[in-house]
């Protein structure tokens, strides 16, 4: 019919077709072959078994351009342990089974088996990947994903870039940590022994260990060096894959301009140091404008918890300067702000809004509001975390598989609670919460609906204690509408929401005794986890799951099945 209507429609049709073909021609397929195995490593100079990718931790950085397809063929050579890998920040539009969340979107990869993840990176930015089976992330299975934008598409310029992966590191195995968390009384994981930068650090008590246990000269724990050319501007892509620690990151003597958060452009603001929580990514710009004849520290420090770990360090070195690249700077490493300065960290959260030229305004109102009270509880003598008095457990049959196969008996069909008695709840008091239970029920969202989630932090089982919790949503980005300290009031606080230029993120902090309000569209067919990104906290029940439009999901690959009620291929 267009051909009979004259020139303009036909021209527009041809132009659209040409642009589509050009975009398809530019898109590439990035293939990776990975073998997951245990290897002895010396990440902080201490010999330890780590889960590695092709023998290394962190794993290789995945580099792609917006629109590319990433194919990762994973062979599990752990012999006695399953594997699942989550591509953190990648929305998996059309490929929900590739989200890599054991118990939610797939059965784990069994020892000796091979599974191929295939997905499109549809948005530029800085992301990460990590294990999503048990507490395996803290054993070393993690790395970066860098998705480049089309030339000239970014609202800032730079001459070069560096990638910085921040992590915390324990000498105990994840098996020991998990067993302690499930014990009565609890055996807490404790503070990490070392903070790593790009998988390298130095255990401060190396000399006190048994002979051969710690080698301070091992090349795997040699300090990471970042080289810069005087006068040039550099983009530092910073990601935190920590299992417990909230961190403060600083490049000594250099101001940082924040320009990206979780793959979205930020209204630029300048910081001396950057607060970054587990699961978050940022890009900052620095100008190499300091004295080139000396080196400078990159420093990572614990905040929000009383530190029990030494500063993590790396070195910034100028090309052409008189200082050897690996020579320690003449100063002591920066220690960052006070660990308990919540107001300082709160201000950074509020300052992070969308770039004026890249504002994606949220829907003006929500169709549904879920108010989640985050508490610490005791259930059958074990310390758990709970949302509205429900501590989350994973089912043996992944939700996505169960729902597509009609296996409704695979998980609790009763809807979890959407609110709590907020008007009478004192978030600063130690609550008994004797009614807490465990459940694997999920929230069913109307496809295409707009959902508000308000996360409320409260006091823990110990008096005068509340922690920061970084919450991560799979399969979506959400608008961060607001933060507050104190008890959220649904009759008052929504009037203060930022509907003008809220930042879109996939991970956000809920501050001590505070609340954070999020809004997202339930428009990505699938089943998606939403949980605290602290490894021990999710293990202890701090999470929920959302289902939306699962009937729209294409036929599932058989490779994601084989556990729970799908064992042996039965439905």
């Amino acid at each position: 019919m267009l051909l009979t209507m004259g020139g303009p429609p036909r021209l527009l049709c041809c132009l659209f077709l040409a642009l589509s073909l050009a975009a398809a021609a530019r898109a590439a397929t990035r293939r990776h072959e990975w073998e997951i195995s245990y290897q002895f490593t010396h990440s902080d100079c201490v010999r330890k078994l780590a889960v590695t990718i092709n023998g290394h931790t962190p794993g290789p950085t995945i580099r792609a351009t917006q629109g590319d397809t990433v194919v990762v063929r994973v062979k599990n050579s752990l012999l006695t342990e399953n594997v699942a890998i989550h591509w953190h920040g990648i929305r998996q539009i059309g490929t929900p089974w590739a989200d890599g969340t054991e118990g939610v979107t797939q059965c784990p990869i069994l020892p000796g088996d091979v599974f191929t993840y295939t997905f499109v990176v549809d948005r530029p930015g800085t992301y990460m990947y990590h294990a999503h089976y048990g507490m395996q992330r803290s054993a070393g299975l993690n790395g970066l994903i860098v998705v480049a934008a089309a030339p000239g598409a970014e609202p800032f310029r730079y001459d070069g870039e560096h990638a910085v992966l921040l992590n915390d590191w324990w000498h105990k195995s994840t098996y020991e940590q998990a067993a302690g968390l499930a014990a009565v009384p609890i055996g807490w994981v404790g503070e990490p022994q070392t903070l790593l930068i790009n998988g390298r650090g130095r255990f401060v008590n190396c000399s006190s260990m048994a002979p051969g246990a710690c080698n301070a000269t091992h090349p795997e724990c040699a300090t990471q060096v970042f080289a810069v050319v005087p006068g040039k501007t550099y983009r530092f892509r910073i990601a935190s894959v920590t299992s417990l620690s909230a961190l403060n990151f600083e490049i000594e003597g250099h101001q940082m301009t924040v320009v990206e958060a979780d793959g979205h452009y930020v209204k630029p603001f300048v910081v001396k140091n950057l607060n970054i929580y587990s699961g978050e990514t940022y890009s900052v710009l620095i100008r190499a404008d300091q004295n080139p004849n000396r080196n400078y520290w990159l420093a990572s420090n614990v905040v929000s918890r009383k530190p029990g770990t030494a500063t993590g360090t790396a070195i910034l070195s100028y090309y052409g300067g008189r200082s050897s690249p690996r020579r320690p700077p003449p100063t002591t490493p920066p220690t960052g702000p006070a660990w308990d300065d919540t107001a300082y960290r709160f201000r950074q959260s509020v300052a992070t809004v969308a770039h004026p030229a890249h504002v994606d305004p949220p829907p003006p109102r929500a169709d549904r509001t879920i108010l989640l009270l985050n508490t610490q509880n005791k259930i059958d003598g074990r310390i758990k975390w709970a949302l509205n008095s429900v501590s989350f457990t994973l089912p043996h049959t992944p939700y996505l598989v169960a729902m597509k196969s009609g296996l409704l008996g695979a998980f609790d069909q009763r809807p979890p609670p959407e609110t709590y008695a907020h008007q009478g709840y004192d978030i600063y008091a130690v609550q008994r919460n004797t009614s807490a239970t465990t459940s694997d029920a999920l929230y069913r969202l109307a496809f295409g609906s707009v959902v508000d989630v308000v996360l409320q932090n409260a006091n823990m089982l110990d008096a005068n204690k509340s922690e920061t919790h970084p919450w991560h949503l799979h399969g979506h980005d959400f608008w961060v509408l607001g933060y507050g300290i104190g008890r959220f009031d649904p009759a008052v606080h929504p009037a203060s929401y930022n509907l003008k230029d809220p930042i879109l993120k996939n991970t956000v902090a809920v501050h001590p005794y505070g609340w954070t309000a999020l809004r997202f569209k339930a428009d990505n067919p699938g089943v998606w986890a939403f949980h605290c990104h602290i490894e021990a906290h999710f293990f202890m029940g701090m999470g929920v799951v959302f289902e939306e439009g699962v009937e729209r999901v294409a036929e599932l690959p058989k490779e994601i099945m084989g556990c729970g009620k799908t064992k042996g291929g039965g439905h």
Side-chain angles (χ1 to χ4, degrees):
M1 183 179 290
L2 284 175
L3 295 177
T4 67
M5 295 174 61
R10 182 178 182 183
L11 181 63
L12 287 173
C13 182
C14 292
L15 179 60
F16 177 78
L17 179 61
L19 290 173
S20 299
L21 291 173
R26 286 195 302 269
T29 299
R30 313 285 181 172
R31 299 185 182 276
H32 299 264
E33 292 272 344
W34 288 0
E35 182 177 12
I36 312 300
S37 66
Y38 270 109
Q39 301 290 337
F40 282 107
T41 64
H42 293 77
S43 295
D44 68 345
C45 304
V46 175
R47 187 173 184 261
K48 178 193 169 180
L49 269 178
V51 178
T52 66
I53 299 174
N54 298 341
H56 299 284
T57 178
T61 296
I62 293 176
R63 295 189 179 272
T65 300
Q66 182 181 10
D68 286 353
T69 297
V70 174
V71 179
V72 186
R73 184 178 182 271
V74 177
K75 180 181 179 182
N76 178 9
S77 295
L78 293 183
L79 300 180
T80 60
E81 198 168 337
N82 299 331
V83 167
I85 301 176
H86 171 53
W87 316 95
H88 183 116
I90 308 301
R91 292 177 292 178
Q92 302 294 349
I93 297 172
T95 53
W97 51 82
D99 189 56
T101 314
E102 181 266 335
V104 178
T105 62
Q106 72 165 104
C107 292
I109 308 168
L110 299 178
D113 280 2
V114 173
F115 181 78
T116 300
Y117 292 96
T118 302
F119 52 89
V120 173
V121 287
D122 66 310
R123 199 185 52 232
T126 308
Y127 309 101
M128 68 183 79
Y129 62 83
H130 56 76
H132 221 294
Y133 176 81
M135 294 180 63
Q136 220 170 54
R137 169 161 55 97
S138 65
L141 204 173
N142 53 66
L144 280 167
I145 304 173
V146 174
V147 183
E154 293 183 308
F156 48 85
R157 295 182 179 181
Y158 52 94
D159 301 300
E161 70 175 51
H162 290 291
V164 180
L165 185 64
L166 304 176
N167 200 4
D168 44 14
W169 196 244
W170 282 260
H171 296 161
K172 279 186 178 180
S173 73
T174 54
Y175 287 114
E176 291 177 278
Q177 294 183 44
L181 293 174
V184 179
I186 190 171
W188 177 239
V189 298
E191 299 305 307
Q193 273 67 61
T194 311
L195 299 179
L196 307 181
I197 297 180
N198 287 2
R200 298 171 178 228
R202 288 184 176 274
F203 180 51
V204 293
N205 294 322
C206 188
S207 60
S208 65
M209 300 192 73
C214 186
N215 180 0
T217 63
H218 199 285
E220 285 184 355
C221 60
T223 304
Q224 180 76 42
V225 177
F226 298 90
V228 295
V229 173
K232 300 291 186 180
T233 297
Y234 288 86
R235 177 183 191 167
F236 278 74
R237 297 180 182 266
I238 308 163
S240 173
V241 74
T242 56
S243 294
L244 173 66
S245 310
L247 299 176
N248 182 271
F249 176 78
E250 181 172 344
I251 302 177
E252 182 190 15
H254 297 74
Q255 288 188 323
M256 297 182 287
T257 302
V258 181
V259 293
E260 179 217 346
D262 289 1
H264 292 276
Y265 300 125
V266 170
K267 181 179 180 181
F269 63 98
V270 177
V271 295
K272 178 185 177 185
N273 40 43
L274 178 77
N275 300 300
I276 182 167
Y277 306 96
S278 176
E280 286 192 316
T281 65
Y282 288 93
S283 283
V284 300
L285 300 181
I286 73 159
R287 181 82 172 164
D289 57 3
Q290 298 300 301
N291 176 7
N293 294 316
R294 56 153 292 189
N295 291 337
Y296 300 85
W297 292 111
L298 281 73
S300 170
N301 286 286
V302 171
V303 290
S304 186
R305 301 178 62 85
K306 188 173 183 179
T309 313
T311 302
T313 58
I315 291 174
L316 184 77
S317 181
Y318 280 73
Y319 280 117
R322 291 198 295 268
S323 183
S324 168
R326 295 196 177 277
R327 180 181 297 166
T331 52
T332 56
T335 56
W339 70 269
D340 56 353
D341 190 348
T342 300
Y344 173 82
R345 291 181 285 112
F346 185 88
R347 288 193 296 271
Q348 179 188 299
S349 294
V350 173
T352 308
V353 297
H355 190 283
H358 294 268
V359 174
D360 183 1
R365 61 191 59 84
D367 300 306
R368 182 176 179 181
T369 298
I370 299 173
L371 182 58
L372 296 175
L373 173 68
N374 189 76
T375 58
Q376 198 176 55
N377 305 73
K378 275 194 175 182
I379 302 176
D380 297 330
R382 291 176 173 84
I383 295 179
K384 297 285 188 179
W385 287 96
L387 286 310
N388 296 348
S389 296
V390 176
S391 185
F392 177 72
T393 58
L394 280 168
H396 293 297
T397 306
Y399 294 104
L400 183 63
V401 177
M403 299 188 81
K404 287 296 289 183
S405 305
L407 301 172
L408 298 183
F411 59 91
D412 190 347
Q413 296 298 301
R414 295 170 295 179
E418 302 205 5
T419 189
Y420 71 102
H422 54 84
Q423 290 181 327
Y425 195 92
D426 182 359
I427 65 167
Y428 296 99
V430 176
Q431 301 286 335
R432 295 182 64 190
N433 298 314
T434 55
S435 61
T437 60
T438 60
S439 174
D440 58 9
L442 52 68
Y443 293 89
R444 298 174 187 245
L445 309 178
F447 186 74
S449 63
V450 178
V451 181
D452 277 7
V453 178
V454 182
L455 295 157
Q456 175 71 67
N457 214 342
N459 200 88
M460 298 167 59
L461 289 175
D462 293 336
N464 303 312
K465 190 174 183 182
S466 182
E467 295 180 349
T468 303
H469 300 288
W471 276 78
H472 171 57
L473 177 59
H474 293 224
H476 303 75
D477 294 322
F478 48 72
W479 289 276
V480 184
L481 300 185
Y483 301 87
I485 299 297
R487 181 177 59 82
F488 177 80
D489 188 339
V492 175
H493 291 121
S496 66
Y497 284 173
N498 175 16
L499 301 180
K500 176 186 175 184
D501 59 356
I503 189 66
L504 277 159
K505 293 182 99 270
N506 62 64
T507 305
V508 71
V510 186
H511 295 286
Y513 298 110
W515 57 265
T516 301
L518 320 173
R519 179 169 294 172
F520 69 96
K521 292 180 182 177
D523 58 1
N524 190 6
V527 186
W528 309 104
F530 179 47
H531 61 93
C532 178
H533 210 255
I534 293 174
E535 194 83 317
H537 290 181
F538 184 42
F539 181 87
M540 296 164 69
M542 196 187 299
V544 299
V545 169
F546 297 124
E547 176 273 323
E548 61 205 53
V550 74
E551 70 280 357
R552 298 169 181 252
V553 174
E555 183 180 353
L556 302 180
K558 290 182 172 53
E559 291 80 5
I560 69 169
M561 304 179 192
C563 61
K565 292 183 178 294
T566 68
K567 192 173 182 180
H571 281 193

